[in-house]
Amino acid sequence: MDVSSMTIRDMRTALDERKISATELEGEYIANIKKYDDKLQSYITVTEELAMKQAEQAQKLIDDGKAMPLTGIPMAIKDNICTEGVKTTCASKMLENFVPVYNATVMEKLESQNIIMLGKTSMDEFAMGGSTQTSAFAKTKNPYDLNCVPGGSSGGSAAAVAGGLAPAALGSDTGGSIRQPSAFCGVTGIKPTYSRVSRYGLVAFASSLDQIGPIAKNSYDCAMILNAICGYDPHDGTSAKVNVPDFTEKLGQSVKGVKIALPKEFFGEGIDSEIKSAVLKAADEYKAMGAEIIECEMPSLKYAVPAYYLLACAEAASNLSRYDGIKYGHRTANAGSYEELIIKSRSEGFGDEVKRRILLGNYALSSGYYDAYYRKALALRQLIREEYAAIFEKCDVILTPTTPTVAYTPEMTSDPVQMYQADICTVTVNIAGLPAVSTTCGYNANGMPIGMSVIGKKFDEATVLQVSDAFEQGFTPVMPKL
Amino acid sequence: MDLDMVKYLAELGKLEFSDEELVKTANEMTDIIDLMDTVKEIDITYDALKDNHNAYLNDLREDVPAPSMETAKVLQNAVNTNNCFVVPKVVEQSLSKGVVIKWTYLQ
């Protein structure tokens, strides 16, 4: 049985019908990792022994008829999600030897279903980047073209799923870090509504924007994982006390009558023409399925990237002040004084992009600049939310490209400003706290995947997934060959 | 952005740069600030009252006494420990040389 092409849904059936065992599944994926990850570089840590133990436990539960939807399903976990007893590096020298003493809430939830953890995936350092090239340990490649980046920051998770080194993975998304790598690697990823999934145990980047979410082969698999990880958590003061529906329930339902809005600014200058036409072609397909296509406007989009970077970096500068070389994290060997210990530990432990963002955050928050930058960004956050609210008065979901270009070569990542501007299609969703899924809608002339995003109303992940699933039903993905 | 501003921001962020890094960073930050300056083009004002609709945020738990994490676990990821976090001395020479200051509240 070729497990690398199986969806989680297929695996569940195969496990329950005893066509495959959890230990066989685990063994096949570990073998794939050993065979291909030298070139793909998607994992920082592979937890082979733990996976074997978890597979045996899961199989016992399956044999006893006590399987839950994810029991015996192998998964990879982004390396900024705390895993008790397993290194969580955030792809930074700063946390190179950090072993969490507790699990993130999402890990508690997944372990309560007896998943099999294959390992921890690479990412941009502290989730700051869109290429996974700022990782201190594994600069992941794109399975569709090893000369290209997988996107980021959850590039390891997306590449592992696309390359058949995990059937699904967890990522985190602060400004597009689940959706953009999903688009670059031809897989499906959803950023849930802000506060839908507990952030407890997620190493903080920008606390008002960060969300954990799944990356998988399709929307159905994402829905299955979302079912497991959502819900109120007393450990996260921002987690929402709202009902969690079965996210698979609306999948397969017709999109007839669903109103889909296309904001014209997302299809303007700077968006690659092949991407534009692939997303518009998808809109035509929705129309053919009976959906209603509406045109709309989002004038604030031109301010979205700077507003996002001002907010995110201001929060990052504050969040990252906890790394002092004393309680945990890298500690310099060359400090004479207390002050020097902190400065040298931080300067040695953080990479260039993290340092740039700390500087930008401090600039935006410092006296004399606060009103002009940080407060203005807060005002823009309100404007962006209002514009989304106005659009959602007329539609159920919004359809946009996920990225302005397909995956590029690592050399393209040397200009920070160019990299920041590449986030134009994803950041407004985080700023407004909305749910959005990215799924593949085509390939360019060179065979590189193109992603489209379906954005929904707050807490309406069910409709977002229904719409992306409807497209996937008529789409045949092309698997990469490693 | 001039070098003095980069030095000031680095000081705020407890970071240090070599002279060469400082020049490179100043150039990069100049380009980044040019991009950030786009927000100055729009005339809008932040209204803190509008953010109150997110009432579920900061929903604090009731205070319930419970055991806290064991000391060994708290110290597990610290490099230098003596059943507490150890740091270089933080007082002037008036104390004996090599004195170890313990963060007693974390013991």
Side-chain angles (χ1 to χ4, degrees):
Chain A
M1 197 176 285
D2 174 23
V3 301
S4 55
S5 60
M6 285 172 86
T7 63
I8 292 181
R9 195 183 189 185
D10 295 337
M11 285 178 191
R12 178 77 274 135
T13 310
L15 285 166
D16 292 344
E17 291 176 354
R18 309 293 194 273
K19 287 182 178 154
I20 196 164
S21 70
T23 46
E24 281 172 302
L25 268 183
E26 175 268 332
E28 294 277 350
Y29 274 100
I30 293 291
N32 279 354
I33 293 168
K34 284 181 177 168
K35 195 168 171 190
Y36 298 115
D37 208 40
D38 270 353
K39 44 177 154 173
L40 203 56
Q41 299 276 297
S42 59
Y43 284 84
I44 289 176
T45 304
V46 179
T47 50
E48 185 178 358
E49 269 180 45
L50 176 69
M52 209 182 290
K53 254 186 235 165
Q54 289 178 332
E56 283 164 10
Q57 286 164 358
Q59 189 56 46
K60 200 166 177 303
L61 289 168
I62 295 166
D63 291 341
D64 292 346
K66 291 178 183 163
M68 294 174 79
L70 298 180
T71 303
I73 303 295
M75 281 185 72
I77 307 296
K78 187 176 180 180
D79 212 17
N80 61 348
I81 295 171
C82 283
T83 43
E84 187 175 357
V86 176
K87 263 203 308 185
T88 298
T89 70
C90 258
S92 177
K93 259 185 78 181
M94 180 58 87
L95 291 175
E96 187 168 7
N97 300 309
F98 177 66
V99 179
V101 292
Y102 64 95
N103 262 334
T105 296
V106 288
M107 290 312 299
E108 288 290 316
K109 285 175 177 277
L110 291 177
E111 286 185 5
S112 74
Q113 292 217 12
N114 287 85
I115 64 141
I116 302 166
M117 185 172 80
L118 296 167
K120 305 295 295 287
T121 49
S122 193
M123 51 184 281
D124 282 292
E125 184 181 3
F126 281 101
M128 296 177 181
S131 66
T132 315
Q133 306 307 294
T134 68
S135 169
F137 309 119
K139 297 185 192 315
T140 311
K141 320 278 186 233
N142 191 308
Y144 283 85
D145 180 348
L146 296 174
N147 295 313
C148 288
V149 303
S153 64
S154 311
S157 290
V161 174
L165 308 193
L170 285 188
S172 68
D173 191 316
T174 304
S177 284
I178 286 174
R179 292 159 288 151
Q180 185 254 30
S182 295
F184 277 11
C185 292
V187 291
T188 304
I190 181 167
K191 182 205 91 75
T193 307
Y194 181 76
S195 77
R196 184 62 117 169
V197 179
S198 168
R199 290 181 296 110
Y200 180 71
L202 170 69
V203 179
F205 163 12
S207 304
S208 77
L209 303 162
D210 298 338
Q211 264 297 277
I212 295 171
I215 295 176
K217 284 197 177 66
N218 59 30
S219 298
Y220 196 98
D221 285 3
C222 283
M224 285 177 74
I225 297 168
L226 216 48
N227 278 348
I229 63 172
C230 286
Y232 172 70
D233 178 13
H235 289 306
D236 176 358
T238 63
S239 96
K241 284 179 181 165
V242 291
N243 178 45
V244 178
D246 176 354
F247 295 108
T248 63
E249 236 169 39
K250 285 177 88 173
L251 304 192
Q253 285 182 19
S254 162
V255 292
K256 193 173 177 191
V258 171
K259 290 178 180 162
I260 301 175
L262 304 181
K264 67 173 189 186
E265 292 81 1
F266 281 84
F267 296 85
E269 205 184 320
I271 308 295
D272 180 276
S273 60
E274 283 182 289
I275 291 179
K276 231 183 277 186
S277 46
V279 180
L280 291 173
K281 194 167 161 254
D284 286 343
E285 287 181 36
Y286 280 124
K287 200 173 173 186
M289 289 182 229
E292 190 183 331
I293 305 297
I294 300 163
E295 284 186 13
C296 65
E297 290 181 11
M298 189 165 199
S300 63
L301 187 68
K302 67 182 280 202
Y303 306 109
V305 167
Y308 166 77
Y309 275 91
L310 290 165
L311 295 170
C313 293
E315 293 182 30
S318 169
N319 271 327
L320 269 59
S321 63
R322 72 191 62 178
Y323 299 100
D324 53 13
I326 298 167
K327 302 180 292 296
Y328 51 86
H330 174 75
R331 180 171 176 136
T332 186
N334 309 307
S337 69
Y338 177 73
E339 185 78 1
E340 221 175 53
L341 169 70
I342 297 173
I343 293 172
K344 286 199 183 297
S345 295
R346 288 168 65 80
S347 301
E348 292 166 7
F350 291 139
D352 291 346
E353 181 58 26
V354 174
K355 286 176 186 169
R356 273 194 290 273
R357 294 196 192 199
I358 292 172
L359 296 183
L360 177 59
N362 283 334
Y363 185 72
L365 291 173
S366 60
S367 169
Y369 298 96
Y370 179 87
D371 285 339
Y373 292 106
Y374 183 67
R375 216 172 154 80
K376 185 60 88 63
L378 288 176
L380 277 161
R381 162 138 73 184
Q382 290 181 329
L383 181 66
I384 289 165
R385 283 177 177 165
E386 284 163 11
E387 287 186 6
Y388 267 120
I391 295 171
F392 278 123
E393 277 178 18
K394 290 177 264 171
C395 72
D396 301 298
V397 295
I398 297 169
L399 183 69
T400 72
T402 305
T403 58
T405 68
V406 295
Y408 37 76
T409 57
E411 294 73 44
M412 302 283 286
T413 63
S414 59
D415 178 0
V417 170
Q418 209 180 330
M419 283 293 92
Y420 296 175
Q421 284 169 326
D423 294 338
I424 183 75
C425 298
T426 49
V427 291
T428 55
V429 164
N430 301 76
I431 291 173
L434 302 173
V437 65
S438 177
T439 194
T440 312
C441 65
Y443 301 88
N444 78 353
N446 297 323
M448 296 304 285
I450 295 171
M452 65 174 183
S453 284
V454 180
I455 305 165
K457 297 173 185 171
K458 270 190 180 178
F459 301 110
D460 195 13
E461 288 85 356
T463 304
V464 165
L465 289 164
Q466 177 200 356
V467 172
S468 56
D469 172 72
F471 180 84
E472 290 167 2
Q473 295 305 317
F475 182 77
T476 310
V478 179
M479 303 293 283
K481 287 191 182 81
L482 284 176
Chain B
M1 185 179 282
D2 63 33
L3 297 183
D4 284 343
M5 177 55 92
V6 179
K7 279 183 199 164
Y8 170 65
L9 295 175
E11 197 184 317
L12 286 175
K14 300 281 183 202
L15 295 169
E16 65 181 2
F17 294 97
S18 67
D19 289 346
E20 198 184 322
E21 286 170 338
L22 212 55
V23 173
K24 184 174 174 271
T25 306
N27 289 335
E28 286 167 348
M29 291 305 292
T30 300
D31 293 342
I32 291 169
I33 298 303
D34 279 349
L35 174 65
M36 299 306 132
D37 278 343
T38 320
V39 302
K40 292 179 178 171
E41 290 171 12
I42 186 167
D43 184 19
I44 48 169
T45 312
Y46 174 61
D47 179 357
L49 293 175
K50 278 189 192 169
D51 278 347
N52 284 349
H53 65 278
N54 290 319
Y56 62 87
L57 299 179
N58 298 314
D59 178 14
L60 302 179
R61 283 173 281 154
E62 286 295 311
D63 281 337
V64 180
S68 54
M69 202 175 273
E70 298 156 25
T71 309
K73 278 192 168 185
V74 172
L75 296 172
Q76 186 182 299
N77 283 287
V79 174
N80 195 348
T81 61
N82 180 16
N83 205 33
C84 62
F85 295 118
V86 178
V87 297
K89 62 180 180 180
V90 292
V91 289
E92 296 299 324
Q93 294 302 318
S94 54
L95 286 181
S96 62
K97 209 178 172 188
V99 68
V100 174
I101 303 297
K102 293 184 177 186
W103 288 30
T104 48
Y105 68 92
L106 282 170
Q107 277 188 75

PDB file of all heavy atoms in Angstrom, chain A residues 182-204:
ATOM      1  N   SER A 182       1.551  26.449   2.186  1.00  0.00           N
ATOM      2  CA  SER A 182       0.601  25.487   1.614  1.00  0.00           C
ATOM      3  C   SER A 182       0.437  25.762   0.122  1.00  0.00           C
ATOM      4  O   SER A 182       0.403  24.831  -0.699  1.00  0.00           O
ATOM      5  CB  SER A 182      -0.768  25.581   2.306  1.00  0.00           C
ATOM      6  OG  SER A 182      -0.650  25.199   3.658  1.00  0.00           O
ATOM      7  N   ALA A 183       0.358  27.037  -0.249  1.00  0.00           N
ATOM      8  CA  ALA A 183       0.222  27.415  -1.662  1.00  0.00           C
ATOM      9  C   ALA A 183       1.492  27.029  -2.434  1.00  0.00           C
ATOM     10  O   ALA A 183       1.414  26.433  -3.512  1.00  0.00           O
ATOM     11  CB  ALA A 183      -0.034  28.912  -1.787  1.00  0.00           C
ATOM     12  N   PHE A 184       2.655  27.344  -1.880  1.00  0.00           N
ATOM     13  CA  PHE A 184       3.924  27.061  -2.570  1.00  0.00           C
ATOM     14  C   PHE A 184       4.151  25.550  -2.745  1.00  0.00           C
ATOM     15  O   PHE A 184       4.814  25.129  -3.691  1.00  0.00           O
ATOM     16  CB  PHE A 184       5.100  27.642  -1.783  1.00  0.00           C
ATOM     17  CG  PHE A 184       5.358  29.109  -2.042  1.00  0.00           C
ATOM     18  CD1 PHE A 184       4.449  29.886  -2.738  1.00  0.00           C
ATOM     19  CD2 PHE A 184       6.531  29.717  -1.587  1.00  0.00           C
ATOM     20  CE1 PHE A 184       4.680  31.246  -2.976  1.00  0.00           C
ATOM     21  CE2 PHE A 184       6.775  31.062  -1.833  1.00  0.00           C
ATOM     22  CZ  PHE A 184       5.853  31.832  -2.515  1.00  0.00           C
ATOM     23  N   CYS A 185       3.647  24.746  -1.804  1.00  0.00           N
ATOM     24  CA  CYS A 185       3.907  23.298  -1.831  1.00  0.00           C
ATOM     25  C   CYS A 185       2.712  22.493  -2.334  1.00  0.00           C
ATOM     26  O   CYS A 185       2.719  21.256  -2.264  1.00  0.00           O
ATOM     27  CB  CYS A 185       4.306  22.807  -0.437  1.00  0.00           C
ATOM     28  SG  CYS A 185       5.908  23.431   0.093  1.00  0.00           S
ATOM     29  N   GLY A 186       1.673  23.158  -2.805  1.00  0.00           N
ATOM     30  CA  GLY A 186       0.549  22.445  -3.406  1.00  0.00           C
ATOM     31  C   GLY A 186      -0.268  21.609  -2.441  1.00  0.00           C
ATOM     32  O   GLY A 186      -0.779  20.545  -2.810  1.00  0.00           O
ATOM     33  N   VAL A 187      -0.408  22.079  -1.194  1.00  0.00           N
ATOM     34  CA  VAL A 187      -1.233  21.357  -0.214  1.00  0.00           C
ATOM     35  C   VAL A 187      -2.298  22.307   0.349  1.00  0.00           C
ATOM     36  O   VAL A 187      -2.403  23.454  -0.097  1.00  0.00           O
ATOM     37  CB  VAL A 187      -0.360  20.761   0.927  1.00  0.00           C
ATOM     38  CG1 VAL A 187       0.504  19.634   0.399  1.00  0.00           C
ATOM     39  CG2 VAL A 187       0.494  21.830   1.595  1.00  0.00           C
ATOM     40  N   THR A 188      -3.087  21.837   1.302  1.00  0.00           N
ATOM     41  CA  THR A 188      -4.179  22.635   1.854  1.00  0.00           C
ATOM     42  C   THR A 188      -3.873  22.988   3.311  1.00  0.00           C
ATOM     43  O   THR A 188      -3.472  22.108   4.085  1.00  0.00           O
ATOM     44  CB  THR A 188      -5.504  21.850   1.784  1.00  0.00           C
ATOM     45  OG1 THR A 188      -5.719  21.458   0.428  1.00  0.00           O
ATOM     46  CG2 THR A 188      -6.683  22.688   2.243  1.00  0.00           C
ATOM     47  N   GLY A 189      -4.053  24.252   3.661  1.00  0.00           N
ATOM     48  CA  GLY A 189      -3.807  24.663   5.049  1.00  0.00           C
ATOM     49  C   GLY A 189      -4.813  25.698   5.476  1.00  0.00           C
ATOM     50  O   GLY A 189      -5.207  26.554   4.684  1.00  0.00           O
ATOM     51  N   ILE A 190      -5.243  25.609   6.733  1.00  0.00           N
ATOM     52  CA  ILE A 190      -6.230  26.585   7.228  1.00  0.00           C
ATOM     53  C   ILE A 190      -5.722  27.327   8.449  1.00  0.00           C
ATOM     54  O   ILE A 190      -5.164  26.719   9.370  1.00  0.00           O
ATOM     55  CB  ILE A 190      -7.614  25.929   7.517  1.00  0.00           C
ATOM     56  CG1 ILE A 190      -8.618  26.987   7.999  1.00  0.00           C
ATOM     57  CG2 ILE A 190      -7.514  24.786   8.514  1.00  0.00           C
ATOM     58  CD1 ILE A 190     -10.064  26.537   8.015  1.00  0.00           C
ATOM     59  N   LYS A 191      -5.877  28.647   8.400  1.00  0.00           N
ATOM     60  CA  LYS A 191      -5.657  29.467   9.592  1.00  0.00           C
ATOM     61  C   LYS A 191      -7.031  29.668  10.219  1.00  0.00           C
ATOM     62  O   LYS A 191      -7.896  30.294   9.609  1.00  0.00           O
ATOM     63  CB  LYS A 191      -5.073  30.837   9.253  1.00  0.00           C
ATOM     64  CG  LYS A 191      -4.794  31.653  10.526  1.00  0.00           C
ATOM     65  CD  LYS A 191      -4.791  33.150  10.293  1.00  0.00           C
ATOM     66  CE  LYS A 191      -6.125  33.808  10.477  1.00  0.00           C
ATOM     67  NZ  LYS A 191      -6.568  33.983  11.877  1.00  0.00           N
ATOM     68  N   PRO A 192      -7.250  29.140  11.410  1.00  0.00           N
ATOM     69  CA  PRO A 192      -8.567  29.307  12.035  1.00  0.00           C
ATOM     70  C   PRO A 192      -8.773  30.753  12.506  1.00  0.00           C
ATOM     71  O   PRO A 192      -7.835  31.541  12.553  1.00  0.00           O
ATOM     72  CB  PRO A 192      -8.507  28.352  13.233  1.00  0.00           C
ATOM     73  CG  PRO A 192      -7.313  27.483  12.997  1.00  0.00           C
ATOM     74  CD  PRO A 192      -6.356  28.298  12.193  1.00  0.00           C
ATOM     75  N   THR A 193     -10.009  31.060  12.858  1.00  0.00           N
ATOM     76  CA  THR A 193     -10.344  32.356  13.462  1.00  0.00           C
ATOM     77  C   THR A 193      -9.439  32.589  14.669  1.00  0.00           C
ATOM     78  O   THR A 193      -9.189  31.650  15.447  1.00  0.00           O
ATOM     79  CB  THR A 193     -11.802  32.335  13.975  1.00  0.00           C
ATOM     80  OG1 THR A 193     -12.651  31.929  12.910  1.00  0.00           O
ATOM     81  CG2 THR A 193     -12.238  33.694  14.508  1.00  0.00           C
ATOM     82  N   TYR A 194      -8.983  33.836  14.861  1.00  0.00           N
ATOM     83  CA  TYR A 194      -8.193  34.141  16.052  1.00  0.00           C
ATOM     84  C   TYR A 194      -9.009  33.778  17.293  1.00  0.00           C
ATOM     85  O   TYR A 194     -10.178  34.144  17.391  1.00  0.00           O
ATOM     86  CB  TYR A 194      -7.820  35.637  16.094  1.00  0.00           C
ATOM     87  CG  TYR A 194      -6.987  35.979  17.300  1.00  0.00           C
ATOM     88  CD1 TYR A 194      -5.641  35.641  17.337  1.00  0.00           C
ATOM     89  CD2 TYR A 194      -7.552  36.581  18.422  1.00  0.00           C
ATOM     90  CE1 TYR A 194      -4.874  35.920  18.459  1.00  0.00           C
ATOM     91  CE2 TYR A 194      -6.794  36.859  19.547  1.00  0.00           C
ATOM     92  CZ  TYR A 194      -5.451  36.523  19.555  1.00  0.00           C
ATOM     93  OH  TYR A 194      -4.687  36.778  20.667  1.00  0.00           O
ATOM     94  N   SER A 195      -8.430  33.043  18.195  1.00  0.00           N
ATOM     95  CA  SER A 195      -9.034  32.619  19.467  1.00  0.00           C
ATOM     96  C   SER A 195      -9.760  31.274  19.362  1.00  0.00           C
ATOM     97  O   SER A 195     -10.243  30.757  20.356  1.00  0.00           O
ATOM     98  CB  SER A 195      -9.982  33.665  20.066  1.00  0.00           C
ATOM     99  OG  SER A 195     -11.215  33.652  19.391  1.00  0.00           O
ATOM    100  N   ARG A 196      -9.842  30.705  18.164  1.00  0.00           N
ATOM    101  CA  ARG A 196     -10.510  29.407  17.975  1.00  0.00           C
ATOM    102  C   ARG A 196      -9.664  28.272  18.577  1.00  0.00           C
ATOM    103  O   ARG A 196     -10.187  27.340  19.183  1.00  0.00           O
ATOM    104  CB  ARG A 196     -10.704  29.203  16.467  1.00  0.00           C
ATOM    105  CG  ARG A 196     -11.450  27.999  16.047  1.00  0.00           C
ATOM    106  CD  ARG A 196     -12.856  27.961  16.547  1.00  0.00           C
ATOM    107  NE  ARG A 196     -13.882  27.974  15.524  1.00  0.00           N
ATOM    108  CZ  ARG A 196     -15.153  27.735  15.789  1.00  0.00           C
ATOM    109  NH1 ARG A 196     -15.551  27.468  17.019  1.00  0.00           N
ATOM    110  NH2 ARG A 196     -16.056  27.768  14.842  1.00  0.00           N
ATOM    111  N   VAL A 197      -8.328  28.366  18.369  1.00  0.00           N
ATOM    112  CA  VAL A 197      -7.409  27.324  18.847  1.00  0.00           C
ATOM    113  C   VAL A 197      -6.511  27.943  19.928  1.00  0.00           C
ATOM    114  O   VAL A 197      -5.981  29.047  19.736  1.00  0.00           O
ATOM    115  CB  VAL A 197      -6.531  26.801  17.688  1.00  0.00           C
ATOM    116  CG1 VAL A 197      -5.553  25.737  18.183  1.00  0.00           C
ATOM    117  CG2 VAL A 197      -7.399  26.242  16.559  1.00  0.00           C
ATOM    118  N   SER A 198      -6.344  27.231  21.017  1.00  0.00           N
ATOM    119  CA  SER A 198      -5.521  27.746  22.115  1.00  0.00           C
ATOM    120  C   SER A 198      -4.086  27.988  21.663  1.00  0.00           C
ATOM    121  O   SER A 198      -3.491  27.174  20.962  1.00  0.00           O
ATOM    122  CB  SER A 198      -5.513  26.747  23.266  1.00  0.00           C
ATOM    123  OG  SER A 198      -4.511  27.101  24.207  1.00  0.00           O
ATOM    124  N   ARG A 199      -3.515  29.113  22.099  1.00  0.00           N
ATOM    125  CA  ARG A 199      -2.105  29.414  21.802  1.00  0.00           C
ATOM    126  C   ARG A 199      -1.191  28.984  22.952  1.00  0.00           C
ATOM    127  O   ARG A 199       0.010  29.245  22.902  1.00  0.00           O
ATOM    128  CB  ARG A 199      -1.933  30.911  21.545  1.00  0.00           C
ATOM    129  CG  ARG A 199      -2.562  31.381  20.250  1.00  0.00           C
ATOM    130  CD  ARG A 199      -2.348  32.867  20.022  1.00  0.00           C
ATOM    131  NE  ARG A 199      -3.009  33.667  21.036  1.00  0.00           N
ATOM    132  CZ  ARG A 199      -2.367  34.361  21.983  1.00  0.00           C
ATOM    133  NH1 ARG A 199      -1.059  34.358  22.056  1.00  0.00           N
ATOM    134  NH2 ARG A 199      -3.051  35.065  22.871  1.00  0.00           N
ATOM    135  N   TYR A 200      -1.761  28.358  23.980  1.00  0.00           N
ATOM    136  CA  TYR A 200      -0.928  27.946  25.116  1.00  0.00           C
ATOM    137  C   TYR A 200       0.119  26.943  24.644  1.00  0.00           C
ATOM    138  O   TYR A 200      -0.206  25.903  24.064  1.00  0.00           O
ATOM    139  CB  TYR A 200      -1.812  27.319  26.197  1.00  0.00           C
ATOM    140  CG  TYR A 200      -1.050  26.847  27.426  1.00  0.00           C
ATOM    141  CD1 TYR A 200      -0.501  27.754  28.315  1.00  0.00           C
ATOM    142  CD2 TYR A 200      -0.886  25.488  27.687  1.00  0.00           C
ATOM    143  CE1 TYR A 200       0.188  27.329  29.437  1.00  0.00           C
ATOM    144  CE2 TYR A 200      -0.199  25.054  28.802  1.00  0.00           C
ATOM    145  CZ  TYR A 200       0.337  25.985  29.679  1.00  0.00           C
ATOM    146  OH  TYR A 200       1.023  25.555  30.775  1.00  0.00           O
ATOM    147  N   GLY A 201       1.382  27.279  24.852  1.00  0.00           N
ATOM    148  CA  GLY A 201       2.454  26.386  24.419  1.00  0.00           C
ATOM    149  C   GLY A 201       2.948  26.653  23.005  1.00  0.00           C
ATOM    150  O   GLY A 201       3.846  25.973  22.529  1.00  0.00           O
ATOM    151  N   LEU A 202       2.375  27.645  22.343  1.00  0.00           N
ATOM    152  CA  LEU A 202       2.912  28.085  21.051  1.00  0.00           C
ATOM    153  C   LEU A 202       3.908  29.189  21.368  1.00  0.00           C
ATOM    154  O   LEU A 202       3.554  30.170  22.013  1.00  0.00           O
ATOM    155  CB  LEU A 202       1.799  28.638  20.154  1.00  0.00           C
ATOM    156  CG  LEU A 202       2.263  29.341  18.865  1.00  0.00           C
ATOM    157  CD1 LEU A 202       2.863  28.345  17.879  1.00  0.00           C
ATOM    158  CD2 LEU A 202       1.102  30.086  18.204  1.00  0.00           C
ATOM    159  N   VAL A 203       5.159  29.032  20.943  1.00  0.00           N
ATOM    160  CA  VAL A 203       6.160  30.064  21.252  1.00  0.00           C
ATOM    161  C   VAL A 203       5.697  31.366  20.593  1.00  0.00           C
ATOM    162  O   VAL A 203       5.470  31.411  19.385  1.00  0.00           O
ATOM    163  CB  VAL A 203       7.562  29.651  20.772  1.00  0.00           C
ATOM    164  CG1 VAL A 203       8.569  30.745  21.074  1.00  0.00           C
ATOM    165  CG2 VAL A 203       7.979  28.340  21.431  1.00  0.00           C
ATOM    166  N   ALA A 204       5.549  32.405  21.402  1.00  0.00           N
ATOM    167  CA  ALA A 204       4.885  33.627  20.936  1.00  0.00           C
ATOM    168  C   ALA A 204       5.738  34.419  19.961  1.00  0.00           C
ATOM    169  O   ALA A 204       6.927  34.620  20.172  1.00  0.00           O
ATOM    170  CB  ALA A 204       4.526  34.491  22.138  1.00  0.00           C
TER     171      ALA A 204
END
